[in-house]
Amino acid sequence: MAGVLLSSTEKVFIIHGVQDDYRSDGRSNIDYRPMELETDVVSHANGSARLRLANTDILVGVKTEIDVPKPDKPKEGKIEFFVDCSANATPEFEGRGGEQLAISISNLMQRNYHSSQAFSLKQLCIFEGKQCWKLYVDILILECGGNLCDAVSLAVKAALFNTRIPFVKAALLDGGNVDLQLSDDPYDCKLLDVGSAPLLITLCKIGEKYVVDPSAEEERCSVISVVVGITGNPSCYSDKNVELTDTEGKFTTIDLSGPGSLAPKTLKNAITQGIVAAKLLDKALGKALVRERKENVTLKKHSYGFLK
């Protein structure tokens, strides 16, 4: 981030350490910093999650709304991303400093999830060509400590995993119009299939090598970063006891940031490193989310007496 000040000696120390596969905080070039993840943190949202990656703190809330599908995609629902940068996240966000970054991340997430190989929008369809669900994904950056894209994609996938969509109890056709009746029971809902939802992996070029999960100080030592979107493995997000299968990750988007340039071979090596990091990260995220869902299963509503 531009707000981090480093001396020339500190930059040399970071760059030389990366070349020897030893970073200033003790990690190797392919290691992530410790993460803390909590879901269902916003009571009035259909799904929510809060993720803290070192000093980066992200809060995501998902709201649902009934909408009309696009004429060219009658079998699909809609999803939109909105990013807001808190003025307290970093000094450079004061005033309107975070608007450009917020728009950039929002557009990147929009491209990432609208790929045909990623998140299935068909599961949001209610009646083909008439009614569908529209998801509003609100992303709030509470604190910025580097590696925003990765943290945002992790928090968004966790919030979508936590999202509960009400069941449609009845649909009456009256003069060609669709009249929907939704269940008032908060436990009478369906969950989204987010197994294939993509994650963003940022590969920061420092010297001649790449590092994942760059800190704010490491970002200051880099002239270019590669952000790749890789689809997830659905078997990692199944709450059934099924054997994990090794699914090949597919690209959903790729983005370059910074004034530097890349040779084709260097870019290929970065993408290969990103695929490996995405598989490991997706597996760990799926394991944590499934475990939390199983722990909360006892909190489900139970019916008593004749009122059911």
Side-chain angles (χ1 to χ4, degrees):
M1 303 301 294
V4 177
L5 298 178
L6 291 177
S7 67
S8 58
T9 305
E10 289 173 316
K11 290 183 179 180
V12 170
F13 177 77
I14 293 174
I15 294 173
H16 286 185
V18 169
Q19 307 315 302
D20 295 331
D21 196 22
Y22 193 83
R23 298 156 78 174
S24 57
D25 54 8
R27 293 181 290 154
S28 69
N29 292 348
I30 60 172
D31 288 337
Y32 273 76
R33 292 169 290 180
M35 302 182 195
E36 296 178 7
L37 176 65
E38 184 181 4
T39 59
D40 209 10
V41 293
V42 181
S43 58
H44 297 293
N46 294 87
S48 59
R50 183 173 182 177
L51 182 132
R52 188 170 183 87
L53 174 60
N55 293 331
T56 299
D57 197 355
I58 309 293
L59 177 64
V60 177
V62 181
K63 291 290 289 183
T64 61
E65 181 183 277
I66 295 178
D67 201 352
V68 179
K70 297 179 180 178
D72 57 334
K73 297 179 180 179
K75 296 182 180 180
E76 297 183 2
K78 300 178 181 179
I79 183 171
E80 290 189 3
F81 297 89
F82 303 92
V83 180
D84 187 20
C85 300
S86 171
N88 297 321
T90 181
E92 68 176 27
F93 286 174
E94 293 179 359
R96 303 178 62 181
E99 284 188 4
Q100 185 175 358
L101 178 63
I103 294 173
S104 175
I105 295 177
S106 176
N107 292 337
L108 184 60
M109 291 298 298
Q110 203 76 25
R111 297 198 310 268
N112 201 30
Y113 269 78
H114 276 79
S115 170
S116 59
Q117 300 174 337
F119 184 69
S120 175
L121 293 175
K122 292 183 178 179
Q123 60 184 315
L124 301 177
C125 180
I126 301 176
F127 283 98
E128 181 179 342
K130 295 183 178 295
Q131 300 284 350
C132 70
W133 288 107
K134 185 175 183 179
L135 303 182
Y136 293 95
V137 183
D138 295 311
I139 304 164
L140 176 60
I141 300 175
L142 298 172
E143 188 175 357
C144 183
N147 201 18
L148 278 178
C149 292
D150 298 30
V152 166
S153 68
L154 286 165
V156 167
K157 189 165 185 176
L160 291 174
F161 183 86
N162 178 249
T163 298
R164 296 171 293 273
I165 297 181
F167 271 120
V168 179
K169 298 180 63 176
L172 304 177
L173 295 178
D174 184 11
N177 297 324
V178 180
D179 183 20
L180 300 181
Q181 295 182 10
L182 304 180
S183 174
D184 295 330
D185 189 345
Y187 296 94
D188 188 14
C189 59
K190 72 173 183 177
L191 302 174
L192 294 174
D193 180 11
V194 301
S196 61
L199 293 178
L200 293 174
I201 304 296
T202 300
L203 298 139
C204 194
K205 188 182 182 212
I206 300 178
E208 298 299 324
K209 292 190 177 181
Y210 287 91
V211 299
V212 299
D213 186 24
S215 63
E217 293 77 13
E218 289 172 337
E219 289 179 350
R220 287 284 292 164
C221 300
S222 173
V223 294
I224 189 169
S225 296
V226 182
V227 182
V228 292
I230 308 294
T231 57
N233 186 351
S235 63
C236 295
Y237 295 83
S238 175
D239 54 0
K240 301 178 182 179
N241 295 325
V242 296
E243 184 178 355
L244 295 181
T245 57
D246 188 11
T247 303
E248 182 180 358
K250 299 180 180 179
F251 289 104
T252 58
T253 186
I254 184 169
D255 188 65
L256 301 177
S257 62
S261 60
L262 296 174
K265 183 178 179 181
T266 308
L267 179 60
K268 182 179 179 181
N269 293 337
I271 292 174
T272 302
Q273 185 175 339
I275 293 175
V276 175
K279 287 184 177 181
L280 296 175
L281 198 59
D282 190 59
K283 183 178 179 180
L285 177 64
K287 183 179 180 181
L289 292 175
V290 170
R291 180 177 66 248
E292 185 178 26
R293 177 175 288 178
K294 288 182 178 180
E295 291 175 352
N296 293 337
V297 71
T298 55
L299 300 178
K300 288 185 178 181
K301 177 183 176 182
H302 298 279
S303 298
Y304 297 95
F306 60 90
L307 296 176
K308 296 183 179 180

